[in-house]
Amino acid sequence: MPKWNQIPRASWGVFHSQLLLQSPKLISPASVCLIFTLSTTDLIQDYIHDGNINAARKLFDENPASCNTVAWNSMITGHIRHNQMQSAHELFDKMPMRDVVSWNTMLSGFNKIKDPHKLHQLFLQMNKAGERPNQFTFSTIISGFLNTFDVLVPQLHSLILHSGLHSNVFVGSALMRGYTHLMDRSSLCRVFDDILTKDISTWNALLVGYMDLGFIADAQITFDMMPELNIISWTTLVDGYIKNRNINQARHMFDKMPQKNVVSWTAMIKGYVQQENYTNAIQLFISMLNSNTSPNHFTFSTLLDACAGCSMFLLGNQLHSCILKSGLCQELVLSTSLIDMYTKCGDIKSAFTIFDSMKTKNTVSWNSIIGGCARHGLAHQALSEFKKMTESGMKPDHVTYINVLSACVHGGLVKEGEHHFHSMVERYGVEAEMKHYTCMVDLYGKAGEVDKAVRLVKEMPFEPDVGVWGALLAGCGLHSCYEVVNGLQILGRDYSSIYNMLIKIHSEKGSWSHAIEMRDKVIERGGRKQKAASWVEFSIGES
DNA sequence: ATAGGGTTAG
C-alpha cells in the first residue's frame, strides 16, 4: 500500500476533484492545495485534465495572484477543448506574460476550428512579437495552411531548415503533406530523406503522397518495404487504389488486411459507390455489420449516397432509422446526405422535415434542398428557399446557382432565370461556368427563345461542351428550328445527335428524302441512337 | 500547458 505522498500525480486529479465536487461546503480548494501540497496551478491543470472547465475557471478567477503562465496556458487549452474559442482568445489577449506555448496553443485552436486566415494572422503577430516558432508551431501551421496557403509551404520549409527542425517527425510529415498538395514529388522525397529517424507516420505520409500523385507502383514498393505496417498504412493503400480508379486491386488488398476497422470498411464501400456498383457496396456493408463493426457518420453518409444514386428509398429509410437510433442525427453532413437521399428517392416532404429541423445549415445543405425542389419541379419553392438562404446571410456559391437556374428551367421562368444569371456575378461574385450557361441555353431553348440561346452560345467566354450543344439541340428539336440545327452541322459539329435531330425535324416537315439522307449519314459514321428509357412514379393514397 | 497519417454531403 503506497503512502499518500507516493501516489502518482496523475491519480490525484480524479481523487481531489471528486472530493471537491462531493463536499464543496466542507473542503475548499485552498485546503485541498494545502493537504496535497498542490499549487493553484497544479489544481487547475488537474481540473482541465478531468474536463472540468467550470471548476478550473472558478479557481482561476478567484486566485488571479497565484496564477502563472502555465495556469493561463492550461486555461486556454481547457477552453479550446470545450470549443470555447472566444473565451480562449480573451484570456490570451489579457494574459500578462505569453510564452511560446501560449502562441502554439492559440494556433492549434484556430487550426481546430479550421480558420486558416486567423491562423495566418496570429502566426504573423507571433513573429512580430519576437516569439521564435518551434517544432510545435511549424507542424500546426503547415497542417492548418493546407488548401488555403499552400504556396507558403516552401517558404516555411526554408525557415524550418534554418532552425534545424527538419528532422522532427511531426514537422516532417506536415511538410510532406504540404508538398503532396503542391504536387511536388521531388520535394516530398527530399523531406522524407531529411527525416533521420523515421516512424510509421513518416512512412504513411510517403504512401499517401505517392498515391495522391498517382505513383501507384512506387506506393506499392514503399508499402512492401516499410519496416512496419499499421491499419492506417493498409487503409491508405486501399484508398489509394480507389482514388486511382483501380477498384479490383483495392479489393484485393482490402481482403488481405490483417484487421479492418470502420475507416477501412467505409473507404472500400465508398469505392464501390463511386463506381456506381451499388450491389457490391451494400453487400460489403452487410459483411461489415456481420463482422461486428459499427458504422459511423462517414459510413452512413456514404451509404445514403448509394441510396440516392439508385433510388433505394426503402434502404434509405431504414438507414435513417439507424441514424436516429445511433444519435448521429444532428451531424450536419449526415443531415445533408439524408436530404439528398430523400429528394432523389422522390420524397421531398421528408427532405423538408429534416431540413427544417436542422439547427445549423451550411451552403451545401441549402444547395441540396434547392436542388431537390428543382428536381421535383417546384420552381417557385426553389426560388423562395433561395431567397430565405440569402436573407439568412448565407452566401450562395456556383452550385447554388446551378440549382436555382435549373429550377427556372423546370418552371419555364425565363425572366427569373435571367435575373439570377446576371446577379450571381454582380451581387455574389460567382463567375458563370459551363454548367450555368448550359442551364441558360436549356431555359431559352425550352421556352422557344432559340435566338437568345444561340446568342448566348456565341457570347460564351469558353468553348461550349457537349452539354451546351445538347441543350441547344434539344431546344431546337422541341421547336423544330431547322436552320439552327443545320447551322450546327455546317459548323463542323458531327455528333450523331445532330443528325438524329435533323432526321426528326425533316420528318416532321414531311421532307422524307432529307430525313433518309441524314439517316444514311448517321449509319455511315457508325452512329446509333441511344435507347430511350423512363420510369414512372406512382403515388398511392395521395393526390 | 502546445504538434502528425486513412473514411462523409450539394
Side-chain angles (χ1 to χ4, degrees), chain A residues 45-65:
Chain A
Q45 280 180 266
D46 287 337
Y47 277 135
I48 298 291
H49 182 85
D50 286 358
N52 196 344
I53 179 78
N54 294 330
R57 186 63 198 247
K58 188 160 179 280
L59 189 60
F60 177 81
D61 288 338
E62 283 167 0
N63 303 279

Side-chain angles (χ1 to χ4, degrees), chain A residues 454-466:
Chain A
V454 172
R455 205 180 314 144
L456 198 63
V457 172
K458 283 185 184 155
E459 283 171 10
M460 282 175 60
F462 26 72
E463 191 62 25
D465 70 350
V466 194

Side-chain angles (χ1 to χ4, degrees), chain A residues 7-276:
Chain A
I7 299 171
R9 281 265 307 132
S11 326
W12 292 13
V14 183
F15 177 57
H16 62 240
S17 60
Q18 285 301 316
L19 201 66
L20 284 169
L21 269 177
Q22 281 167 19
S23 42
K25 294 260 162 62
L26 296 174
I27 192 157
S28 66
S31 342
V32 168
C33 289
L34 208 64
I35 296 165
F36 293 99
T37 54
L38 291 174
S39 66
T40 310
T41 304
D42 291 332
L43 198 48
I44 288 175
Q45 280 180 266
D46 287 337
Y47 277 135
I48 298 291
H49 182 85
D50 286 358
N52 196 344
I53 179 78
N54 294 330
R57 186 63 198 247
K58 188 160 179 280
L59 189 60
F60 177 81
D61 288 338
E62 283 167 0
N63 303 279
S66 48
C67 287
N68 57 15
T69 303
V70 176
W72 282 84
N73 288 342
S74 301
M75 283 312 304
I76 294 175
T77 303
H79 281 301
I80 290 174
R81 276 193 201 151
H82 286 79
N83 300 314
Q84 300 163 342
M85 203 51 202
Q86 190 64 39
S87 316
H89 209 317
E90 282 163 13
L91 285 180
F92 181 77
D93 286 340
K94 273 196 302 199
M95 68 192 293
M97 284 283 288
R98 281 186 278 264
D99 63 7
V100 67
V101 179
S102 328
W103 289 95
N104 289 343
T105 308
M106 280 309 290
L107 290 169
S108 79
F110 285 125
N111 194 13
K112 190 184 170 197
I113 61 167
K114 298 214 174 72
D115 192 336
H117 294 280
K118 288 265 172 61
L119 186 72
H120 184 239
Q121 265 179 3
L122 197 72
F123 177 63
L124 296 182
Q125 279 175 32
M126 176 182 183
N127 286 294
K128 212 171 156 192
E131 194 66 69
R132 255 181 76 109
N134 64 9
Q135 63 273 35
F136 288 82
T137 322
F138 283 120
S139 68
T140 305
I141 58 167
I142 293 172
S143 77
F145 282 177
L146 295 186
N147 294 326
T148 315
F149 297 108
D150 287 340
V151 281
L152 296 181
V153 168
Q155 311 189 26
L156 291 169
H157 189 187
S158 92
L159 281 176
I160 288 162
L161 289 168
H162 249 277
S163 334
L165 295 169
H166 54 275
S167 205
N168 177 280
V169 281
F170 291 91
V171 174
S173 59
L175 272 175
M176 286 168 72
R177 286 208 298 149
Y179 281 119
T180 302
H181 273 251
L182 288 172
M183 305 203 290
D184 182 346
R185 183 195 159 135
S186 61
S187 302
L188 167 73
C189 296
R190 269 272 304 277
V191 176
F192 178 78
D193 292 336
D194 281 348
I195 303 168
L196 298 175
T197 41
K198 306 166 182 34
D199 66 4
I200 190 157
S201 292
T202 318
W203 283 94
N204 285 343
L206 186 64
L207 203 53
V208 173
Y210 277 146
M211 277 302 195
D212 281 1
L213 300 184
F215 298 108
I216 308 171
D218 293 297
Q220 184 66 56
I221 294 167
T222 305
F223 183 83
D224 292 335
M225 63 186 271
M226 278 170 68
E228 54 172 330
L229 298 167
N230 61 11
I231 196 160
I232 295 170
S233 331
W234 280 95
T235 311
T236 304
L237 190 76
V238 169
D239 191 54
Y241 278 120
I242 291 170
K243 279 183 188 144
N244 285 288
R245 314 209 154 271
N246 195 340
I247 190 100
N248 293 331
Q249 188 60 20
R251 181 59 191 263
H252 180 66
M253 297 313 288
F254 179 78
D255 288 336
K256 278 169 78 170
M257 286 180 79
Q259 71 237 13
K260 305 176 178 76
N261 64 8
V262 192
V263 182
S264 27
W265 282 103
T266 307
M268 195 64 230
I269 294 173
K270 174 71 186 168
Y272 284 123
V273 176
Q274 270 172 353
Q275 295 252 311
E276 300 181 8

Side-chain angles (χ1 to χ4, degrees), chain A residues 221-458:
Chain A
I221 294 167
T222 305
F223 183 83
D224 292 335
M225 63 186 271
M226 278 170 68
E228 54 172 330
L229 298 167
N230 61 11
I231 196 160
I232 295 170
S233 331
W234 280 95
T235 311
T236 304
L237 190 76
V238 169
D239 191 54
Y241 278 120
I242 291 170
K243 279 183 188 144
N244 285 288
R245 314 209 154 271
N246 195 340
I247 190 100
N248 293 331
Q249 188 60 20
R251 181 59 191 263
H252 180 66
M253 297 313 288
F254 179 78
D255 288 336
K256 278 169 78 170
M257 286 180 79
Q259 71 237 13
K260 305 176 178 76
N261 64 8
V262 192
V263 182
S264 27
W265 282 103
T266 307
M268 195 64 230
I269 294 173
K270 174 71 186 168
Y272 284 123
V273 176
Q274 270 172 353
Q275 295 252 311
E276 300 181 8
N277 189 338
Y278 302 117
T279 317
N280 279 13
I282 292 159
Q283 271 176 1
L284 211 59
F285 177 57
I286 293 164
S287 312
M288 172 183 174
L289 297 178
N290 287 335
S291 77
N292 264 329
T293 312
S294 301
N296 62 12
H297 56 293
F298 290 95
T299 324
F300 281 127
S301 127
T302 304
L303 283 160
L304 287 171
D305 197 23
C307 296
C310 59
S311 301
M312 289 184 285
F313 177 76
L314 212 59
L315 180 61
N317 208 322
Q318 288 173 333
L319 287 170
H320 188 184
S321 308
C322 296
I323 290 162
L324 290 171
K325 277 189 204 162
S326 68
L328 293 167
C329 48
Q330 354 83 319
E331 188 81 30
L332 178 66
V333 175
L334 206 39
S335 307
T336 308
S337 302
L338 277 169
I339 292 171
D340 189 50
M341 182 277 291
Y342 275 125
T343 65
K344 286 186 178 155
C345 291
D347 187 353
I348 185 90
K349 242 177 111 181
S350 300
F352 263 105
T353 308
I354 296 165
F355 183 72
D356 292 334
S357 73
M358 284 171 76
K359 279 185 224 137
T360 51
K361 302 179 175 92
N362 65 8
T363 308
V364 184
S365 353
W366 284 99
N367 290 352
S368 341
I369 201 74
I370 295 172
C373 291
R375 217 172 293 116
H376 281 254
L378 304 168
H380 290 286
Q381 191 161 9
L383 293 183
S384 76
E385 291 302 327
F386 174 73
K387 195 156 174 271
K388 279 191 220 162
M389 173 184 184
T390 50
E391 281 171 359
S392 76
M394 192 61 73
K395 210 172 158 280
D397 67 2
H398 64 114
V399 182
T400 319
Y401 275 103
I402 292 170
N403 293 344
V404 166
L405 295 177
S406 68
C408 294
V409 173
H410 286 298
L413 307 174
V414 178
K415 277 232 149 32
E416 286 82 350
E418 281 179 334
H419 164 72
H420 289 298
F421 186 67
H422 291 122
S423 78
M424 59 188 263
V425 181
E426 286 158 16
R427 284 185 61 177
Y428 297 103
V430 180
E431 291 287 338
E433 294 164 18
M434 190 76 79
K435 287 258 190 176
H436 302 101
Y437 280 98
T438 311
C439 286
M440 289 309 287
V441 171
D442 203 9
L443 178 61
Y444 287 136
K446 284 204 170 70
E449 303 197 34
V450 178
D451 292 346
K452 278 192 172 180
V454 172
R455 205 180 314 144
L456 198 63
V457 172
K458 283 185 184 155

